Amino acid sequence: MKKSVYWLLAVVITLVLSIYQRMTGPTYPKKVTVELNGEQYKLKLPRSGVQQDEIVTLKGIPSDTEAQLHYRRYPSGDDYTTVDFTWKDSTCQAMLPVQPVAGKLQYYITVDGKNYPTDEPLVIRFRNDVPAGILVPHILLMFASMLFAVYTFLLVITRKAYKKWLWITVGTLFVGGFILGPLVQHVAFGPWWAGFPYGTDLTDNKTLLSFLFFMAALATLKWKYNKWVVCLAVLFMIAIFSIPHSAYGSEYDYTTQQLKN
């Protein structure tokens, strides 16, 4: 099999995993379908905001539709605050007030007397805006580490030389996850590291676990069964990186008025 085919397979697998992780994460906009007079309108409700009031828009709905936004601090026992959606610049919109860094609001909308989402309210978390010069290289390197890991796996199972690509995988994972990752975390929320042993941030913890598996693969390079350790490291990486991104991250405690990890 030609290496170009290996790369194609690696790219496809990495893209599928990345899209799945992104779309199932707690910061990805929630897609909601609203039905009015027999017509369906697909809306996207935000679940991540920067340090400014977050605009919730109901794009495409008829101008005579009555809608309300209900929100409260999360977690808290506060009563919901209700505001009406209004039309501005030909768009039906309402505001979620900005919260402290890592502060969250729980909210839902009412359209024509029906509540959405129909299962449970949404939670939106606020953060500092991360410059593209930091965020983009971090995302690209994490994407690259997954790509190189999958490519290494394909080389291993087809009995091709793989050690160079194992080193490249570890290098990109280290720079993306342990240099740029903490920098993104610091700019967005304050702490440099919110995983073990300081916190429960799932993104930090799964990056750490994956890196330890790959370090074990490097440490056993001269062992005749090293290929099985490499396969285990890659499969473990695929498994944990399929877990939704940004779960169990930093959260502002409204009781103590402090950030907790």
Side-chain angles (χ1 to χ4, degrees), residues 211-225:
F211 185 74
L212 291 176
F213 267 75
F214 276 102
M215 289 302 294
L218 286 180
T220 58
L221 269 177
K222 295 183 179 180
W223 189 34
K224 65 178 180 179
Y225 298 116

Side-chain angles (χ1 to χ4, degrees), residues 24 44 48 57 95 119-120 125 156 161 171 192 194 221 250:
T24 56
K44 288 185 178 181
S48 179
T57 60
M95 294 283 192
D119 47 0
E120 60 181 352
R125 181 173 64 164
V156 170
W192 288 92
L221 269 177
S250 299

Side-chain angles (χ1 to χ4, degrees), residues 99-114:
Q99 300 297 297
V101 172
K104 298 178 180 179
L105 291 175
Q106 186 176 47
Y107 77 97
Y108 65 97
I109 63 174
T110 301
V111 181
D112 199 26
K114 296 181 180 180

